[in-house]
Amino acid sequence: MAFDHDRYVEEVLEPARRPGGALPDDPRARYRVDETMSAAEVTETVRRVRQSWRLARGQLKFKRLVNRLEADDQGRYREIFSAAERGDLGPLRTALAETAEHAARRRADAEERLRAAAGRLRLVLPDVVERIARDTGLGAEETLALCGELRIEAREPDRLPQAPPYAGYGEVRAALDTLGERHLARFVFGDACRDTRVLGGFSLPDGTPLGGDALEGVRARWAAEPRGTLTTQAETVLTALGAVPDPAELVRHDLVTRVRERAREHADDGTLVRYAVGRLGLTLDEARGLVFAVRHESRYGGAPGDTAARLKELIDGGDVVGAVDLARTLDVAAIAGEVGDLVAEAQTRLDTAVRLRDEAVRDGTDPDRAWLMLRDALASVPGLPEAGELQARLAPHPAGPVTAEACAEGVLVSWEPSASRVGEIGYEVRRNGVPLAVVAGCSLLDEAPAVDTALRYEVVARRGEAAAAPSGAEPLLLRPEAVRAFALEPDPEEPGAFLVRCQAPTTGVLEIVALPGEPPWPPGTTVPVAGLRAASRTVPSSPHRDGLTVRPAGVGAVLLAVTVLGGLATIGGHREHVSLPPVAGLTAERRGEVVYVGFAWPPEVSEALVRWNGRERIVSSALYRGRGGVRLTVPEDEELTVEVAPALFLEGGHVFGPVSSVRLPARPPVRYDVMWQGPPWRRRLVLTFTCERPVRLARLSLVLRRGRVQPVSAADGVVLAEWSDLEVPVTLEAPVPGRAGPYWLRCFAEGEAELVDPPVRRLRVG
């Protein structure tokens, strides 16, 4: 095979110059020779390789490698290839055999060292791999390939959280122990917490995030449990999860901390992996990676496992009691230097916290002052025994005066806040002794109060588990209140709909129902909704910014306002309503100064209001049919708008339905005359157009029609002449028709004017 310089650089020189790389010792790779070659082939190939070295020396990055190659070539390989030039391949074959044995020994050495470095975790640091590759001469790529064959992964250890994201982590640990939970993740996800991942962030195998939804589910589960010690401990854990920006980081820190603690007990890697999988619920790969990361925490500046680091970790994590307990196990000689300072800090914080706790217990006059002292004690020592329970039992001052008022949405309960200003104060609202909700504000809307039943509302101020004495409002009897009157007018935004305007009821929902006659109940009467539905028809309605939009069907009915609340309805005001449909097919046509108006009469409508240009007339259906429509006299040069509305005479006056309209533009008359001028041998037609005011004609046509019937349109004959965009008055000329009579001449125009023909004698010829 021909020698390829570029390939030699890519496969030999480039890998050797990379970090951890080395020149191959095997002549097969270094000189591209093997046992199948003849002496001449070996000599020629070696010559081409040496030439390739000289070419590569021109690049600065390969200069040192080439020097090393040429030095070895002049040393241990000189006699081998000199013998090949003489035709003797024995030294080369011996060198190739020895190289193979040496390579096998190097590979075995690298394999043994990799197994020892990876251990039972099957994980090894990348710089360890590089060192083994360099020491054995195996090369970085071959060593990494050997790692793959041995199922050993070379990687950097994952960074692990150091300080807990929550200052009271020690209290969280104590609460989990009381609840019998193995760790924080199991507290949140329960039996679903399997095959967990913690490297790079906490997650479950199905991708379930640890966010607001997951925490709300846990809160709901514990809220359903009876109040007691377990719920108190659960609230401690939930408070911690809700206080940190990322609850998943607190869960992750908890799992990592537990593996750290087992590692400090000098457990081997296998024991730690089994603990992480079986006890903590991690996947096998995550458990291996976590143990590997814990073993190499010092690589990223993590705390080593000495006494000072352990004390600092406990204090920073809020477990001051644990730090004091650890200090009591130390020899006196060991409590010196940094260890002594940490022990003194932990003991001072514990003594101060105990003093505050005992003083809070002795002070029984002001619960707020005692609560603050216990808060300071827990801030100094989060896991201080009994302090959390004592603080949780300190009730706040009662809520202020309570009021309960009926409104359109239900009952609004409001109260003055508690005089206590420390701690998280919540208010439990009860209706007739039954809890409705716990809120942080000072009001609650009861959207589903009982109707026609005495309602007694109480508010209980709460702080933790402790509850103050209840504060109550005056009893309230909830019933609909009547809408005594309402206005009804057409809705301008929706034809056929009407707008109801009235004062909204304070309780209940306003409805409009239709009755065939006067309502059988006086205003203010409260009746069952079922009875109201049986005696009336519900009018479709929808909310409107100005009231209520209703859509009554039929010509007439009595509309009744009722207020519905629960199963009761209170009768309000009523009014007779007529719903007239609009007229259809409204048309208007000018015939000179007379305008003919036509339309289709709606069913059950006997009269209509016709209004035009400030004038109006009531027209009966009999008069309309007798005269064949409505005739209006309007000058042709006057723009016209005709409006027609159905009408009905009711209770001494007319009521009107929706208005339909049609518009006619002004049609000023343009008079014209046709005259014959000139001698017989030079006769011509002269057309004169006059108008009382200037008018523009878009198109004007002079039409000839043979026979004795005059044309009625421009298409009803032959166009002799045609003009466009004319300003009237104007005089025009046209050629004389070269035809014998009889025939008609007539003009037709398009535009804003109406042509008025001259006398017939001017238009008829022959």
Side-chain angles (χ1 to χ4, degrees):
M1 183 175 64
F3 179 83
D4 188 342
H5 168 73
D6 293 335
R7 185 176 179 181
Y8 184 86
V9 170
E10 179 182 356
E11 295 180 355
V12 177
L13 299 183
E14 282 290 354
R17 64 177 291 271
R18 294 172 189 158
L23 289 169
D25 286 337
D26 191 345
R28 296 176 181 84
R30 182 177 287 204
Y31 289 95
R32 290 294 198 252
V33 296
D34 58 38
E35 295 87 346
T36 64
M37 289 181 173
S38 65
E41 291 174 333
V42 169
T43 301
E44 177 61 19
T45 301
V46 170
R47 185 187 69 80
R48 296 290 303 274
V49 169
R50 290 168 176 166
Q51 184 181 16
S52 180
W53 294 348
R54 291 191 291 273
L55 290 175
R57 181 185 279 110
Q59 300 184 52
L60 183 62
K61 62 181 180 180
F62 296 133
K63 185 175 181 180
R64 294 182 60 185
L65 291 176
V66 172
N67 291 339
R68 170 79 180 277
L69 288 169
E70 290 181 343
D72 290 344
D73 185 66
Q74 294 298 320
R76 55 177 173 160
Y77 292 107
R78 179 179 180 180
E79 292 299 328
I80 295 175
F81 294 115
S82 295
E85 291 176 0
R86 297 190 299 270
D88 183 9
L89 294 177
L92 175 61
R93 289 171 180 157
T94 301
L96 291 176
E98 292 176 351
T99 301
E101 295 176 358
H102 181 59
R105 289 195 299 270
R106 287 184 300 172
R107 181 181 177 86
D109 183 26
E111 179 177 341
E112 180 180 359
R113 292 180 62 177
L114 286 173
R115 290 183 185 276
R120 302 187 63 175
L121 298 178
R122 318 295 292 176
L123 295 170
V124 66
L125 295 172
D127 54 0
V128 173
V129 175
E130 292 177 6
R131 184 167 59 251
I132 293 174
R134 184 172 57 253
D135 293 346
T136 60
L138 201 61
E141 292 185 356
E142 189 173 354
T143 306
L144 287 174
L146 180 58
C147 287
E149 295 176 11
L150 299 175
R151 296 184 179 180
I152 294 173
E153 182 181 359
R155 76 181 196 192
E156 291 290 340
D158 293 81
R159 292 181 179 270
L160 301 178
Q162 296 299 320
Y166 181 68
Y169 172 68
E171 186 176 354
V172 174
R173 287 285 299 269
L176 290 173
D177 293 340
T178 303
L179 292 170
E181 294 289 359
R182 299 176 184 176
H183 47 79
L184 195 51
R186 186 173 179 82
F187 171 83
V188 177
F189 293 103
D191 293 334
C193 186
R194 294 187 298 272
D195 297 335
T196 306
R197 298 184 181 276
V198 295
L199 300 179
F202 173 85
S203 66
L204 294 181
D206 61 355
T208 302
L210 179 51
D213 293 341
L215 295 183
E216 286 301 322
V218 180
R219 290 191 180 97
R221 187 174 73 237
W222 280 101
E225 296 291 332
R227 303 294 297 178
T229 302
L230 293 181
T231 57
T232 300
Q233 300 300 323
E235 287 177 357
T236 299
V237 180
L238 288 171
T239 299
L241 290 171
V244 295
D246 186 359
E249 276 303 298
L250 181 59
V251 173
R252 179 174 178 239
H253 179 84
D254 179 60
L255 293 170
V256 171
T257 298
R258 295 175 188 272
V259 174
R260 282 193 184 117
E261 292 171 350
R262 292 299 297 269
R264 293 192 181 102
E265 297 172 5
H266 306 290
D268 60 26
D269 292 344
T271 301
L272 289 177
V273 170
R274 288 193 297 272
Y275 170 76
V277 173
R279 186 70 176 174
L280 303 183
L282 272 64
T283 65
L284 180 59
D285 288 342
E286 287 289 299
R288 291 171 48 240
L290 178 56
V291 173
F292 181 70
V294 169
R295 294 295 195 200
H296 297 89
E297 279 194 278
S298 59
R299 188 174 182 85
Y300 298 120
D306 57 13
T307 303
R310 178 56 177 158
L311 284 170
K312 189 174 187 304
E313 180 183 12
L314 290 172
I315 294 174
D316 292 344
D319 191 4
V320 178
V321 176
V324 173
D325 291 341
L326 176 60
R328 291 169 182 168
T329 65
L330 302 176
D331 295 335
V332 176
I335 305 178
E338 183 182 6
V339 173
D341 294 339
L342 292 171
V343 170
E345 177 186 352
Q347 190 63 54
T348 300
R349 288 174 59 174
L350 180 60
D351 293 342
T352 302
V354 170
R355 177 180 57 78
L356 290 171
R357 181 195 63 188
D358 295 343
E359 185 177 350
V361 172
R362 288 192 299 269
D363 189 349
T365 57
D366 187 354
D368 288 353
R369 182 170 179 271
W371 193 94
L372 287 172
M373 286 190 285
L374 290 171
R375 183 197 64 182
D376 294 342
L378 289 170
S380 178
V381 181
L384 183 64
E386 302 180 3
E389 293 81 355
L390 290 171
Q391 189 185 45
R393 292 198 296 267
L394 290 172
H397 293 288
V402 181
T403 59
E405 297 178 340
C407 61
E409 294 81 12
V411 175
L412 180 63
V413 184
S414 57
W415 57 91
E416 294 294 328
S418 166
S420 295
R421 294 294 185 267
V422 297
E424 186 175 350
I425 307 297
Y427 300 95
E428 180 183 80
V429 183
R430 303 172 182 171
R431 181 183 63 207
N432 293 352
V434 178
L436 292 179
V438 176
V439 297
C442 292
S443 65
L444 173 72
L445 178 63
D446 184 3
E447 298 179 349
V451 180
D452 208 22
T453 301
L455 302 176
R456 294 177 175 82
Y457 290 92
E458 292 178 332
V459 177
V460 178
R462 306 187 67 94
R463 182 166 55 194
E465 294 182 356
S471 302
E474 292 294 328
L476 176 67
L477 182 62
L478 193 63
R479 305 187 74 181
E481 300 175 359
V483 175
R484 297 289 179 174
F486 63 93
L488 189 70
E489 58 189 51
D491 189 341
E493 299 178 359
E494 183 180 347
F498 293 84
L499 184 61
V500 175
R501 297 180 185 272
C502 63
Q503 186 175 0
T506 55
T507 59
V509 178
L510 172 64
E511 289 187 12
I512 302 296
V513 298
L515 298 170
E518 290 288 321
W521 316 279
T525 305
T526 299
V527 299
V529 171
L532 173 69
R533 300 281 187 249
S536 64
R537 173 174 55 86
T538 301
V539 177
S541 63
S542 60
H544 190 277
R545 61 179 179 274
D546 296 327
L548 190 69
T549 298
V550 295
R551 303 167 185 84
V555 174
V558 174
L559 299 184
L560 173 65
V562 295
T563 307
V564 177
L565 181 63
L568 298 178
T570 299
I571 306 301
H574 70 279
R575 61 179 298 166
E576 189 169 359
H577 170 68
V578 176
S579 180
L580 296 175
V583 301
L586 177 61
T587 61
E589 181 182 356
R590 286 184 184 272
R591 296 180 185 175
E593 292 188 346
V594 178
V595 178
Y596 290 83
V597 180
F599 52 87
W601 286 81
E604 304 181 29
V605 174
S606 60
E607 292 182 307
L609 171 66
V610 179
R611 183 185 297 116
W612 73 102
N613 291 12
R615 292 166 284 177
E616 63 181 33
R617 179 193 305 169
I618 297 292
V619 180
S620 67
S621 60
L623 180 63
Y624 177 90
R625 292 183 175 90
R627 294 185 176 180
V630 179
R631 300 179 184 181
L632 308 176
T633 302
V634 181
E636 293 180 89
D637 59 352
E638 182 180 325
E639 184 177 310
L640 175 66
T641 298
V642 180
E643 297 179 329
V644 179
L648 183 67
F649 191 80
L650 184 68
E651 296 181 355
H654 280 92
V655 294
F656 303 101
V659 175
S660 302
S661 65
V662 64
R663 177 184 172 276
L664 292 178
R667 299 281 290 178
V670 175
R671 303 183 185 279
Y672 73 97
D673 197 1
V674 180
M675 295 178 293
W676 302 76
Q677 295 183 359
W681 60 88
R682 291 183 61 185
R683 301 279 283 178
R684 67 184 188 276
L685 289 175
V686 178
L687 291 83
T688 303
F689 296 84
T690 59
C691 187
E692 294 181 359
R693 61 181 178 85
V695 174
R696 181 178 295 276
L697 300 179
R699 184 180 298 277
L700 178 66
S701 302
L702 175 62
V703 177
L704 179 148
R705 180 174 180 174
R706 299 179 64 87
R708 299 187 179 276
V709 180
Q710 67 175 346
V712 295
S713 69
D716 203 12
V718 177
V719 177
L720 292 180
E722 193 172 54
W723 300 269
S724 299
D725 196 21
L726 292 177
E727 287 283 351
V728 178
V730 67
T731 300
L732 304 172
E733 291 187 1
V736 174
R739 301 181 184 182
Y743 60 82
W744 286 81
L745 293 175
R746 195 178 183 190
C747 290
F748 298 94
E750 298 177 8
E752 58 186 26
E754 185 79 22
L755 287 183
V756 179
D757 293 333
V760 172
R761 67 178 181 275
R762 298 281 195 183
L763 302 178
R764 186 170 57 191
V765 179

